[in-house]
Amino acid sequence: MPAAVIGLRELAGQPLRLEQRVLYEVPPGHTLVAVIGDLHRRGVVRHPTALRAWARLHGRGERIVAGEYTLRPGATGRTLLDDLEAGRVVMHALRIPEGARLREVLPRLWDGGILRPTLKGLSDADLMAALGRPGVPAEGRFLPETYYVTR
């Protein structure tokens, strides 16, 4: 293996500069180049050019998944790339307690900071229509359960 390729592998395998766990959001449409550049500006990625070159050399990073990721101390550029390609996004638990009425649950969902409240303020009928179930009563349609969702 050429020395340059070995050097890229070693640089891409260096740990990210993290002292503690960090949440990082990849917006829809962002490319690997944009993510690496942003993480470099934040001081997390040490060798952005080497990481981009290693990814290109190995045909990696063409399709990364948008979402919220946990970056952990000890993670490397290569493991970051693995997570971005596999879509290993943070899953948040949302609990609907038994016996709760929809109008009691919705404010907790909207104000919890996990979901974007795009349907906030709709009547029950309009909410069900937006969910593709026009004419179906909203009450009793959402099971008491813990649901795991992405941000």
Side-chain angles (χ1 to χ4, degrees), residues 2-43:
V5 173
I6 293 171
L8 285 176
R9 182 177 68 200
E10 288 177 6
L11 290 174
Q14 287 188 351
L16 302 176
R17 283 190 219 159
L18 295 167
E19 294 181 15
Q20 61 187 11
R21 188 176 74 108
V22 173
L23 292 178
Y24 180 75
E25 188 165 351
V26 176
H30 259 52
T31 64
L32 180 63
V33 170
V35 170
I36 291 172
D38 183 47
L39 289 173
H40 177 65
R41 283 187 294 283
R42 294 175 186 225

Side-chain angles (χ1 to χ4, degrees), residues 57-69:
L57 182 67
H58 288 84
R60 306 277 311 271
E62 290 297 317
R63 291 196 175 110
I64 62 171
V65 178
E68 183 181 35
Y69 291 85

Side-chain angles (χ1 to χ4, degrees), residues 104-119:
E104 297 167 356
V105 172
L106 286 176
R108 293 192 344 223
L109 296 179
W110 301 147
D111 300 334
I114 295 169
L115 300 177
R116 290 190 179 99
T118 57
L119 303 177

